[in-house]
Amino acid sequence: MDLEFSKADEDYRQRLRAWLRDNLGEGGSANAVMRQAEKDPGAAKDPLAGARAWARRLHEAGYVGLAWPKEYGGQDASFTEQVICAEEMARVRTPPLINTIGLTIIGPTLVQHGSEEQKRRFLPRILSADDLWCQGFSEPEAGSDLASLRCRAELDGDEFVVNGQKVWTSLAFLSNWMFLLVRTDPDAPKREGISYLLLDMKTPGINVRPLRNAAGGQHFSEVFLDDVRVPRDNLVGELNRGWSIARSSLDHERSGLSGVIALEETLGRLWRMAGGLKRGTDQALADAGARRALAQHWIEIEGLRHLGYRTLSDQIAGKPPGPGASVGKLFASEVRQEMTRTALQLEGPLGPVAKRSPHVVERGRWHAAYFDALAHSIGGGTSEIMRNVIAEKVLGLPRLQDD
Ligand SMILES: Cc1cc2nc3c(=O)[nH]c(=O)nc-3n(C[C@H](O)[C@H](O)[C@H](O)COP(=O)(O)OP(=O)(O)OC[C@H]3O[C@@H](n4cnc5c(N)ncnc54)[C@H](O)[C@@H]3O)c2cc1C
């Protein structure tokens, strides 16, 4: 595997750096594009106007959808260019993109499995952030055992009629499209009667109820579907053959979740926080245990980076992300949790102090990050399920039970 960037790659990096210099506001992360868009009189109707404007600006400059085919608005760029792009954006801390579920899960799934009409219709609007997507897979009785899902869709002429419930649907209340799994043949073995649909969230019969998480944030919702009519054209792949497409969506989701760059940024913050903390009269970093913990996080993130390079070289060879993505997802969620634990240990008794208290450290950032990190070992498939996938699909061990 060649880990060097070519001269052309380095030229690409320099062009991107120059573009970021010209397009970010003072101080880098304060984005002038977003602020300007929010001031626009039309923006009052769209609370996401600023975030959309930034996503559009990046897209127009050719820095979104790098691996997607040009004919659908992508760049046909190399994977090394994608890595450079991600590295440079992280270096100057660009604002996060609002349409990540579209860009990392349903977009790549449609590139692989969508009809020509679906690709032309949906992919450009994902890239331009005109459409925001959510993922309707989990149900109250179907999370880890996703194939047990019960949400029904029956064909009625040229439309499916959908009835059922989805849960933990991230950003459902902001999204105008959902990709979802439905049972279209209740008599078939459970993985064979599932279909994959694309649903316009403005269709009558959809009720979105936001849920609050353990950290008090409102990130996901439950979604009730009552006689919701979906055109047959919105079926991805074949009827009753949605399970293998769902698997590829999950692989894309898990490969995106390893997020080495986000982890590096968290480690950088942790170093800065630790550098400013005192224990009595001593610097917190005078403690050998604290230094050892930080060094260990760095080593593990480097391990993850090299795991990422391995996935990258597979992708360059034309292979989609497979079960190996589960290794990165599992390991990354554990590293993230360990880092937030280190942060709270360094903060000592003040770590859990509430956000509004005068004694709070770093405005309670690490307290919130600790709870957020717990969710990373659940969302996108739990750590136990990742271990099962690794055991069966990566190590070739026998299945515990045949379901
Ligand atoms: C932050 C966050 C965002 C999410 N966003 C979305 C989203 O946008 N769309 C969506 O569809 N879903 C979403 N989810 C749901 C997520 O995919 C499920 O929570 C997850 O798959 C686990 O399902 P469950 O909650 O039903 O738990 P269960 O499946 O009931 O699992 C309960 C416990 O049992 C363990 N367990 C279950 N089966 C096994 C087994 N075979 N072997 C070993 N252990 C097992 C699990 O690991 C877990 O610890 C999100 C979840 C979180 C936390």
Side-chain angles (χ1 to χ4, degrees):
M1 184 168 50
D2 182 7
L3 296 182
E4 294 291 318
F5 291 112
S6 68
K7 162 95 175 53
D9 287 334
E10 288 304 336
D11 289 347
Y12 177 83
R13 188 190 296 275
Q14 293 313 320
R15 281 200 302 281
L16 171 55
R17 279 192 185 172
W19 186 88
L20 288 169
R21 257 195 316 274
D22 294 345
N23 285 273
L24 287 175
E26 288 291 307
S29 64
N31 194 322
V33 179
M34 291 171 83
R35 284 201 305 270
Q36 187 55 42
E38 278 155 11
K39 282 189 210 142
D40 189 286
K45 291 194 205 95
D46 181 6
L48 298 173
R52 271 189 222 274
W54 172 239
R56 261 180 216 134
R57 176 70 66 100
L58 276 174
H59 170 49
E60 282 158 15
Y63 295 123
V64 184
L66 272 77
W68 299 10
K70 273 214 162 103
E71 62 219 275
Y72 311 120
Q75 298 298 320
D76 267 331
S78 67
F79 281 100
T80 46
E81 285 173 342
Q82 284 185 74
V83 172
I84 290 170
C85 199
E87 281 180 356
E88 292 302 316
M89 304 259 172
R91 195 177 55 80
V92 294
R93 295 197 216 156
T94 55
L97 284 170
I98 39 166
N99 46 346
T100 39
I101 294 178
L103 290 169
T104 58
I105 310 179
I106 185 62
T109 302
L110 288 178
V111 169
Q112 236 180 313
H113 303 280
S115 67
E116 188 56 27
E117 197 267 331
Q118 287 166 349
K119 289 180 198 177
R120 291 200 182 281
R121 180 175 172 201
F122 293 111
L123 294 177
R125 290 182 60 85
I126 293 173
L127 292 171
S128 60
D130 283 315
D131 289 339
L132 301 187
W133 285 78
C134 60
Q135 177 187 28
F137 280 15
S138 303
E139 297 181 9
E141 303 297 326
S144 303
D145 184 14
L146 185 57
S148 295
L149 62 96
R150 292 189 192 159
C151 185
R152 285 282 306 272
E154 285 167 48
L155 260 177
D156 178 21
D158 280 344
E159 291 178 323
F160 291 97
V161 181
V162 183
N163 280 288
Q165 184 194 343
K166 297 292 171 181
V167 74
W168 316 125
T169 320
S170 299
L171 306 179
F173 52 93
L174 292 177
S175 303
N176 54 333
W177 281 88
M178 174 195 271
F179 52 99
L180 78 163
L181 299 178
V182 288
R183 187 157 301 285
T184 36
D185 183 353
D187 300 323
K190 67 181 184 181
R191 293 182 185 175
E192 287 165 31
I194 291 173
S195 299
Y196 195 118
L197 296 183
L198 307 175
L199 168 66
D200 181 343
M201 292 293 278
K202 286 194 259 359
T203 316
I206 303 175
N207 186 1
V208 178
R209 290 195 205 149
L211 295 167
R212 214 165 265 289
N213 67 20
Q218 207 170 284
H219 161 86
F220 38 44
S221 303
E222 40 186 1
V223 180
F224 296 86
L225 303 143
D226 189 10
D227 281 338
V228 177
R229 301 190 82 86
V230 180
R232 195 184 168 129
D233 288 349
N234 290 9
L235 171 72
V236 183
E238 289 175 46
L239 188 67
N240 298 325
R241 295 273 180 271
W243 182 249
S244 61
I245 305 174
R247 293 235 50 92
S248 87
S249 288
L250 290 172
D251 287 341
H252 284 298
E253 179 176 13
R254 288 166 190 168
S255 75
L257 287 173
S258 51
V260 174
I261 288 159
L263 290 175
E264 270 180 333
E265 192 177 293
T266 307
L267 183 58
R269 283 212 187 108
L270 186 51
W271 269 107
R272 287 192 290 278
M273 187 271 279
L277 273 185
K278 288 214 159 191
R279 284 283 166 77
T281 52
D282 290 338
Q283 297 287 337
L285 279 180
D287 176 46
R291 292 201 304 275
R292 205 175 308 119
L294 290 170
Q296 185 62 28
H297 300 323
W298 183 84
I299 291 165
E300 287 171 356
I301 292 171
E302 282 304 299
L304 263 171
R305 184 199 309 287
H306 285 83
L307 197 63
Y309 283 143
R310 190 193 286 178
T311 312
L312 180 70
S313 76
D314 280 353
Q315 286 177 311
I316 291 169
K319 297 183 205 157
S326 302
V327 180
K329 196 269 176 183
L330 170 66
F331 193 37
S333 62
E334 294 198 342
V335 173
R336 179 170 293 282
Q337 287 175 1
E338 286 300 326
M339 282 200 286
T340 60
R341 259 183 231 125
T342 302
L344 290 186
Q345 273 162 8
L346 282 166
E347 289 180 350
L350 296 181
V353 163
K355 201 173 174 180
R356 282 184 220 95
S357 160
H359 305 293
V360 71
V361 189
E362 293 225 328
R363 288 180 290 148
R365 173 204 294 267
W366 293 103
H367 188 193
Y370 174 79
F371 280 107
D372 182 59
L374 295 177
H376 283 252
S377 57
I378 304 173
T382 67
S383 293
E384 290 78 10
I385 295 304
M386 294 307 105
R387 289 191 167 91
N388 287 351
V389 172
I390 294 163
E392 289 164 21
K393 302 269 168 52
V394 181
L395 302 177
L397 298 177
R399 290 176 78 94
L400 280 177
Q401 59 187 47
D402 195 19
D403 55 350

